[in-house]
Amino acid sequence: MAATVVVGMQWGDEGKGKITDLLAAQADVVVRYQGGSNAGHTVVAGERTLKLHLVPSGILHPKALCVMADGTVVDPVTLAREHDGLEQQGVSCANLRVSGNAHAILPYHMLLDTLEEESRGAGQIGTTRRGIGPAYCDKTARVPQGVRMWDLLDEAALRERVEAQLAVKNPLLQHVYGREPLQVDEVIAPVLEVVPRIADHITDTRVLLYEQMTGGARMVFEGAQGTFLDLDYGTYPYVTSSHPVAGGACLGTGLGPRSIERVIGVCKAYTTRVGAGPFPTEQPGPDGDLIRERGHEYGTTTGRPRRCGWLDAVMLRTAAALNSATGLAVMLLDVLNDFETVPVCVAYEAEGRRYECVPGRDATYAACRPVYEELPGWTQPIADCRRWEDLPDNARRYLDRMSELVGVPIAAVSVGPSREQTVVLDL
Ligand code: IMP
């Protein structure tokens, strides 16, 4: 029993890739349990900066098995492209395993994601348009059967499943969106073209993971997106269609709850969000702009500028409870250098009430206003700090207050993008 979940405590993009990469150095298996190519991990390894969307960050560690488990949705064309790109950069994908039960994202999912978004007008979710929602919809709809990765290995089964899907999707494309119907061959041709490059990686990952677990393997479950993008516990409907919370690691891998030993909650020292939806501590003015420029807050997958704001301890406290977080990894602390004071949201107020945790009702959340506490800032550069004692007093005070407000000890602090720029306390 030695699995660690790395989970995003905010709205994604917290820097989970860096923490997974650090943990993967000691891991035997690194697993993605939900989401698909909507994720974007930037991992800096020596001179190389790698941007990954599908393949787990653990791929940089040649000894670790790298698994896309049952709960993920896999775009085979993106998978093949990422696989080839990594190999060309000298990163072997020999240890990559993809669940045959993971649902495949096909061209019509991406098309529908875009058409659905456009039809929402001002009510857009701001999806990544990678087909995530439509692919999970097919999975949960059950009939006609969604296409799974196993089906790519059998052309007749693939054709049959896609034909059944098109019988439902073409009337939608024609009569709701005024588009031409899709032909089965145009859907499956690009997929069949990449199958020879990915076929050997498709397997029964549930059995593989169970064997690894019972054999004593050290495992890292790498969450994508973040707690508040969770389909059930996020800011619905401005969420993704899977379960990024730590509990999603069990559903998405087939391993039971007792396999999880530790949960590292990853958060930025401030807050960001891509896409629409409530964001109580958002700073649309100069402070938010400064955070965006310093933190290079532009989406890895879509390049969109991220909305930026102050740290929201109410969210983090709620996320700590939702995920059973055992440690906090605080990322991008260096971005806050040089602010004279740093506000932290310690509670919300709405409708004459004070909230210590994120309220469940969306209308109440939309009405929430942050209650701030001002903490003194620090001016010394921190990029070279490697130990807790190296950090400026006020930076430590900020982290201590954060830990106190959230009720979870600090496990690591990131002070720059490289692996070395990390103060490790208990990872
Ligand atoms: P979808 O996952 O593409 O359906 O997008 C749903 C919502 O989740 C949108 O607000 C996206 O911007 C957001 N989202 C999806 N993936 C990520 C991510 O990796 N980081 C941050 N936001 C994400």
Side-chain angles (χ1 to χ4, degrees), residues 11-13 38-40 113 125-130 132-133 224-225 229 238-241 273-276 301 304:
W11 280 295
D13 310 315
N38 49 346
D113 200 354
I125 297 172
T127 75
T128 59
R129 304 191 180 199
R130 297 296 189 270
I132 306 297
Q225 291 82 50
L229 289 174
Y238 304 100
V239 293
T240 192
S241 299
R273 174 164 208 172
V274 209
T301 301
R304 287 179 289 179

Side-chain angles (χ1 to χ4, degrees), residues 378-426:
W378 55 93
T379 48
Q380 304 94 308
I382 59 170
D384 293 328
C385 296
R386 297 291 177 269
R387 298 169 311 162
W388 180 255
E389 311 79 82
D390 300 337
L391 291 166
D393 287 349
N394 284 347
R396 278 182 298 182
R397 223 165 270 152
Y398 185 76
L399 294 164
D400 278 338
R401 183 67 180 132
M402 212 171 146
S403 168
E404 185 179 50
L405 287 166
V406 181
V408 178
I410 306 282
V413 183
S414 177
V415 294
S418 76
R419 278 176 180 161
E420 298 69 38
Q421 290 176 295
T422 316
V423 176
V424 176
L425 297 159
D426 183 22

